[in-house]
């Protein structure tokens, strides 16, 4: 047998074993034997690169990182299904279909609706050549390299006579069990957890390192087709059977339904089975089975008339609230948690659910002993929906607002304008643990070995009383840490301890903005940290900033003066038609003095790039006297200034400065963190929706490099909103406020017709995300 023949034989054998393992769940060889075959193939391909193939089983483990994702037009557009939420809409759908088809014979097919990422695979002569996301329906991102890492997807169609072209469509999803395990791993590593399996799957497919994608528990279900040449299917049932024979995993529990009653029964059956699926599902899909009738039924502008999605309401179950406990966060916030009689909800047992805060508890009138309705928000996070008041026992107890911290016994308080209670003891062990985790988080100092379990152990053993105590740790301090239980011990070990200490040392070299975020000052998030870093040379200058103290003091003075001017010029109280002339003169002199002071202060800070003095659309009184105003030019707003000032004046702030000096920690800002002077200097930009082909952070950084200020919320001072796929409420608010809308797709697609002057100007001036 020649080398080429042996390579072909190994590929065919490995493909067969992959299909048996991932699709049929009927493996016929051991993992060790499979690895031996894969190793042999790998060595042959390395020795004979002329025989390499992108569809070889060796490519499933991933290769070198990708540069980016190119955008490709779909051969046949990927349109979305119309949604329905009750049986009345399903019956109306049936009536419309029967009206269009008149007396023609047909039946329906019902299948589960997978909550995943829509995907299209293109096979030419039986070989996988392209995998595209849905994108905007017209074109999507090329994620072929990442799709090849998913074991259940055939790289070569399982047929000796493949069609010329076959596009297969379906959903890529993350398995329920895999999602839970992945989040546990991320939490242990100090990384942010994913909100739900769909987000986790979408995020995984946008990773540029295919080796990392290969580690994610991704799978796929296929139920549709796009372009076809050399193959056809008369019915949807025939299509599913055909895909199954070609090596694809197809939807479980599909039901043929000759009439409406059978269809409704199938919808109920699918609902009852929802917790037995390995994937998250949020409904069922009803399709006319006869594909030969699709042309006659046609499509609307957005969806086909031959199919409809029936969305299920989140599963709600009753259980008893046994107790209420309190969790303490890194900023000292106390969060009440419902301890529940264990109950199955959406496929898992739930015994705890957040109650958010005491105001929310009072609004819902939640008491210990109540019978409550539970659901999983987004099918993942348990939440108390409402109380069954009619089932309340006579001895149900109201849970009082706290009078002390449950962890350290220290005093608690509620800040003005907030609903949260906080522990005031900055040395509270619970706060120390959370602050340590925040310091080590991905957006902070990114210390991978420092997850929640390690943080708990460091605080419990009194090795850490302050986050910066990390920089005093030695190998012999950390290696003996016990992370398990007496029944199941688990020592941290010297190898892990060494990795942790290396990560701590590497953190010293990170940019100033990462360190500012890592401190964990209330209201100082990622965007504010970036802007604060632009105005400080190093960490120690930020930790007791005269600049921030002065700005905060002046803004307070300005706000007081503006309020005083409004009161002085109020035509209903001071400047009435009957006000004596001498008093009018005195008021106007005081007004002029205040106005001059306000404009002088605001001009000074405007020159330094912190605020913008409003010069148009000024609020006026009936005497035509303008009251000056201002807008913040960045994310350094009043709430940020107040939080920083409170930090500087606290024992916590003093300790941070002392320990930074003690450990000689003084990271500086990078060259890119200086005050912006690019084409978008002074522009406030907000993003909404998902961005195809680029991460949100990459897009933000591109605009920051051009001088823009990125904000997380829409206001009348926002210059423009960049809108991606599935935008949120920000789009509606932007329309209400008259903020310029820039569709992301129109911005980056040279073929798209700009929908606004702002989009046209940006496209002419900037080549923002051209790949």
């Amino acid at each position: 047998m020649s080398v080429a023949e042996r390579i072909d034989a190994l590929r065919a054998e490995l493909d067969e074993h992959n299909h048996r393992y991932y699709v049929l769940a009927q493996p016929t060889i051991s993992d060790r034997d499979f690895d031996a075959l894969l190793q042999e193939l790998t060595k042959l391909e390395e020795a004979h690169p002329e025989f390499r193939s992108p569809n070889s089983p060796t490519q499933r483990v991933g290769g070198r990182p990708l540069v980016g994702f190119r955008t490709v037009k779909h051969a046949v557009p990927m349109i979305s299904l119309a949604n329905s939420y009750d049986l009345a809409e399903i019956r109306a759908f049936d009536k419309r279909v029967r009206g269009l088809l008149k007396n023609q014979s047909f039946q329906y097919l019902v299948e589960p609706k997978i909550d995943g990422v829509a995907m299209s695979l293109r096979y030419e002569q039986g070989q996988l050549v392209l995998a595209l996301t849905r994108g905007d329906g017209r074109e999507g991102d090329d994620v072929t390299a990442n799709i090849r890492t998913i074991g259940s997807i055939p790289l070569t169609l399982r047929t000796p006579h493949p069609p010329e072209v076959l596009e297969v469509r379906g959903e890529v999803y993350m398995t329920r069990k895999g999602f839970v395990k992945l989040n546990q791993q991320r939490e242990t590593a100090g990384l942010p957890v994913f909100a739900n399996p769909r987000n986790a799957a979408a995020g995984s497919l946008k990773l540029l390192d295919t080796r990392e994608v290969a580690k994610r528990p991704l799978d796929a279900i296929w139920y549709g087709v796009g372009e076809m040449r050399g193959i056809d299917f008369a019915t949807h049932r025939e299509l599913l059977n055909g895909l199954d024979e070609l090596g694809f995993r197809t939807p479980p529990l599909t039901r043929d339904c000759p009439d409406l009653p059978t269809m409704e029964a199938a919808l109920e059956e699918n609902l009852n089975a929802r917790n037995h699926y390995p994937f998250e599902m949020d409904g069922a899909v009803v399709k006319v089975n006869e594909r030969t009738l699709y042309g006659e039924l046609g499509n609307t502008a957005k969806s086909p008339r031959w199919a409809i999605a029936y969305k299920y309401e989140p599963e709600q179950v009753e259980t008893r609230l046994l107790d209420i406990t309190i969790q303490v966060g890194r900023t000292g916030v106390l969060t009440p948690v419902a301890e529940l009689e264990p109950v199955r909800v959406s496929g898992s047992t739930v015994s705890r659910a957040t109650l958010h805060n005491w105001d929310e508890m009072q609004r819902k009138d939640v008491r210990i002993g109540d019978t409550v309705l539970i659901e999983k928000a987004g099918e993942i996070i348990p939440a108390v929906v409402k109380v069954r008041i009619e089932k309340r026992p006579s001895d149900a107890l109201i849970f009082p607002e706290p009078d002390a911290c449950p962890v350290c016994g220290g005093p608690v308080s509620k800040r003005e304008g907030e609903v949260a209670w906080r522990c005031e003891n900055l040395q509270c062990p619970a706060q120390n643990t959370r602050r340590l985790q925040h310091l080590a988080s991905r957006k902070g100092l990114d210390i991978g070995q420092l997850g929640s379990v390690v943080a708990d152990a460091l605080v419990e053993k009194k090795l850490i009383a302050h986050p910066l105590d990390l920089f005093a740790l030695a190998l012999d301090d950390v290696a003996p840490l016990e992370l398990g239980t007496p029944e199941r011990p688990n020592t941290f070990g010297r190898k892990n301890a060494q990795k942790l200490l290396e990560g701590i040392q590497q953190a010293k070299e990170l940019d100033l903005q990462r360190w500012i975020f890592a401190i964990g000052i209330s209201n100082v998030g990622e965007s504010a940290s970036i802007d604060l870093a632009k105005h400080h040379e190093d960490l120690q200058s930020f930790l007791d900033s005269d600049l921030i103290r002065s700005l905060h003091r002046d803004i307070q003075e300005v706000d007081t003066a503006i309020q005083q001017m409004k009161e002085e010029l109020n035509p209903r109280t001071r400047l009435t038609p009957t006000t004596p002339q001498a008093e009018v003169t005195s008021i106007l002199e005081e007004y002029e003095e205040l106005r001059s002071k306000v404009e002088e202060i605001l001009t000074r800070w405007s020159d330094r790039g912190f605020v913008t003095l409003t010069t148009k659309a000024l609020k006026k009184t009936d005497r035509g006297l303008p009251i000056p105003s201002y807008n913040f030019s960045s994310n350094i707003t009043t709430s940020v200034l107040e939080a920083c000032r409170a930090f500087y004046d606290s024992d916590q702030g003093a300790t941070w400065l002392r320990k930074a000096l003690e450990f000689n920690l003084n990271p500086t800002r990078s060259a890119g963190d200086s005050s912006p002077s690019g084409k978008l200097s002074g522009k406030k930009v907000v993003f909404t929706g998902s961005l195809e082909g680029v991460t949100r952070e990459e897009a933000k950084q591109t605009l920051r490099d051009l001088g823009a200020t990125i904000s997380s919320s829409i206001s009348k001072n926002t210059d423009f909103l960049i809108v991606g796929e599935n935008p949120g409420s920000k789009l509606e608010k932007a329309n209400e406020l008259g903020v310029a809308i820039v569709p992301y797709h129109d911005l980056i697609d040279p073929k798209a017709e700009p929908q606004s002057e702002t989009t046209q100007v940006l496209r002419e001036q900037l080549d923002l995300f051209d790949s």
Side-chain angles (χ1 to χ4, degrees), residues 610-626:
F610 285 93
V611 299
T612 302
L613 175 62
T614 305
T615 57
K616 59 182 179 180
L618 294 175
K619 189 173 182 178
K620 298 177 182 292
T621 68
D622 62 343
R623 290 177 177 260
L625 298 172

Side-chain angles (χ1 to χ4, degrees), residues 472-483:
L473 291 175
L475 186 64
D476 290 338
D477 295 329
V478 184
L481 281 178
E482 181 52 59
L483 308 181

Side-chain angles (χ1 to χ4, degrees), residues 242-259:
L243 294 183
D244 185 68
E245 291 173 3
L246 291 171
F248 295 95
R249 189 191 296 278
T250 53
L253 197 67
T254 57
R255 293 290 181 265
D256 297 290
C257 306
D259 51 35

